[in-house]
Amino acid sequence: MPVTVNPDLQAIIDRITADMEGREDRGKVADYIPGLARVDPRHFGIAIATHDGRIISAGDATTAFSIQSVSKVFALTIALGKVGDALWKRVGREPSGNAFNSIVQLEAEQGIPRNPFINAGAIVVSDIILSGHRPGEAIGEILRFVRDLAGDDDISIDEDVARGEAETGYRNAALAHYMRSFGNIQHPVEQVLGVYFHQCALAMTCIQLAKAGRYLMLEGQHPETGFNVVSPTRARRINALMMMCGHYDGSGEFAFRVGIPGKSGVGGGILCVVPGIASIAVWSPGLNERGNSTLGSLALEKLAAATGWSIFNERDPG
Ligand code: GLN
């Protein structure tokens, strides 16, 4: 199916949203983080920021949710800006084929996480962002960056979620201590985790998240200022990582069904990037067995089918 650059998006997402609202099988809301366990599984929202500046949305697109691991995309972008490709000495770029919080590969691979989108990799990224800062400053930098990308100063961090993560984050603490034993964490573990938990606790709506992802559809360019957030090469590489690693051990299945680079989080959000065409955010809190939004993935599959936006579809050779 050829790519449709300007389909009637509002009609398409209205139809998908009505379909999703009637679904019973929504998966299970993450309950290992106290603030997430309370979220109503009946939510569904979607927003699309298009290449030509339109914002189209349906469902609960203006309700803020915990973006959790979707934040790993923004944190990686900041860390690459600080240390450039030296980052890849401390974090790999291969799919893990393991759960997001798995510790097993770290022993065989000497404390170098497989990629920046699993927890271990994101914790190293937090360590990099912390360099030369106090934790509060590093957290402030991440918040300012995301607000600037979305062009929206109302974005905030849910302190309740961040605190809950700190109180129950035994697994993340284990990952951080373990990597520190290999010398791949350089700051005190409590500080690194403080940055990581706050970044995961960013609360955003689908509209804010779709807007924040626009630079990745625009070859790294900020849509409002025209400045490069990252170079075109780096934007392509971040999209490649999202394609290969954005859904943990469900990344192959997502590529198979949807065919669009995406990053999920246990809050039920997914950010997807169709290069040159659209930045898409969906949210539905119920998760599948791999920790990715059940209805979010299904809605994206339907959207890709209706628009031809899979990156494997035929493109106009120009
Ligand atoms: N904050 C969550 C954790 O560290 C993020 C995981 C996720 O969204 N997959 O467990």
Side-chain angles (χ1 to χ4, degrees):
M1 179 183 175
V3 176
T4 313
V5 178
N6 285 314
D8 184 353
L9 282 177
Q10 189 66 60
I12 292 173
I13 65 172
D14 284 347
R15 207 164 51 236
I16 291 172
T17 301
D19 178 355
M20 294 304 128
E21 281 168 353
R23 301 251 171 183
E24 296 291 324
D25 183 11
R26 291 172 170 255
K28 207 170 152 297
V29 175
D31 56 7
Y32 74 103
I33 299 169
L36 298 187
R38 292 191 283 274
V39 179
D40 186 342
R42 284 170 302 191
H43 286 294
F44 176 84
I46 180 166
I48 304 178
T50 62
H51 66 105
D52 52 359
R54 290 174 299 144
I55 305 289
I56 295 138
S57 64
D60 302 321
T62 54
T63 307
F65 61 91
S66 191
I67 71 164
Q68 292 294 317
S69 286
V70 181
S71 66
K72 290 169 179 163
V73 174
F74 306 122
L76 172 66
T77 305
I78 296 174
L80 282 169
K82 285 184 188 296
V83 299
D85 288 339
L87 182 141
W88 304 118
K89 294 199 183 77
R90 295 176 58 186
V91 186
R93 332 185 262 251
E94 294 295 342
S96 67
N98 271 306
F100 62 88
N101 55 6
S102 169
I103 201 164
V104 292
Q105 278 164 343
L106 279 178
E107 179 168 26
E109 298 177 3
Q110 312 289 310
I112 308 288
R114 272 286 170 104
N115 68 66
F117 293 159
I118 50 174
N119 286 14
I123 291 168
V124 173
V125 168
S126 296
D127 189 56
I128 292 170
I129 296 176
L130 194 49
S131 294
H133 289 303
R134 286 193 293 271
E137 293 167 348
I139 294 163
E141 180 177 6
I142 298 169
L143 180 60
R144 270 195 309 282
F145 181 66
V146 173
R147 283 178 171 174
D148 177 65
L149 291 176
D152 192 333
D153 284 345
D154 287 341
I155 296 169
S156 62
I157 290 173
D158 186 331
E159 287 295 337
D160 193 44
V161 170
R163 202 171 320 110
E165 287 215 53
E167 282 164 11
T168 59
Y170 308 111
R171 182 74 77 108
N172 288 317
L175 291 168
H177 281 289
Y178 198 52
M179 291 190 289
R180 183 149 176 152
S181 78
F182 286 100
N184 200 17
I185 291 291
Q186 294 169 358
H187 298 88
V189 162
E190 303 66 44
Q191 293 188 9
V192 177
L193 289 177
V195 173
Y196 172 71
F197 291 142
H198 278 81
Q199 136 202 334
C200 289
L202 273 162
M204 294 171 75
T205 68
C206 287
I207 290 179
Q208 290 167 334
L209 189 56
K211 288 173 85 177
R214 290 174 297 180
Y215 72 108
L216 291 171
M217 94 168 130
L218 299 173
E219 297 201 301
Q221 218 181 57
H222 193 299
E224 271 142 31
T225 65
F227 287 122
N228 272 357
V229 180
V230 289
S231 68
T233 304
R234 197 159 275 165
R236 276 195 290 280
R237 288 175 168 175
I238 294 171
N239 288 336
L241 284 164
M242 287 169 73
M243 190 79 200
M244 301 305 294
C245 315
H247 289 75
Y248 320 109
D249 46 346
S251 299
E253 179 72 10
F254 190 81
F256 184 86
R257 286 173 48 192
V258 181
I260 300 174
K263 180 75 204 83
S264 72
V266 290
I270 304 176
L271 172 66
C272 271
V273 178
V274 190
I277 298 179
S279 166
I280 309 158
V282 294
W283 171 53
S284 179
L287 307 178
N288 63 24
E289 64 288 351
R290 302 276 161 91
N292 303 308
S293 173
T294 304
L295 293 192
S297 309
L298 184 60
L300 288 163
E301 183 177 0
K302 290 183 177 296
L303 180 67
T307 55
W309 283 354
S310 159
I311 63 163
F312 302 107
N313 269 329
E314 191 184 318
R315 271 5 191 206
D316 181 354

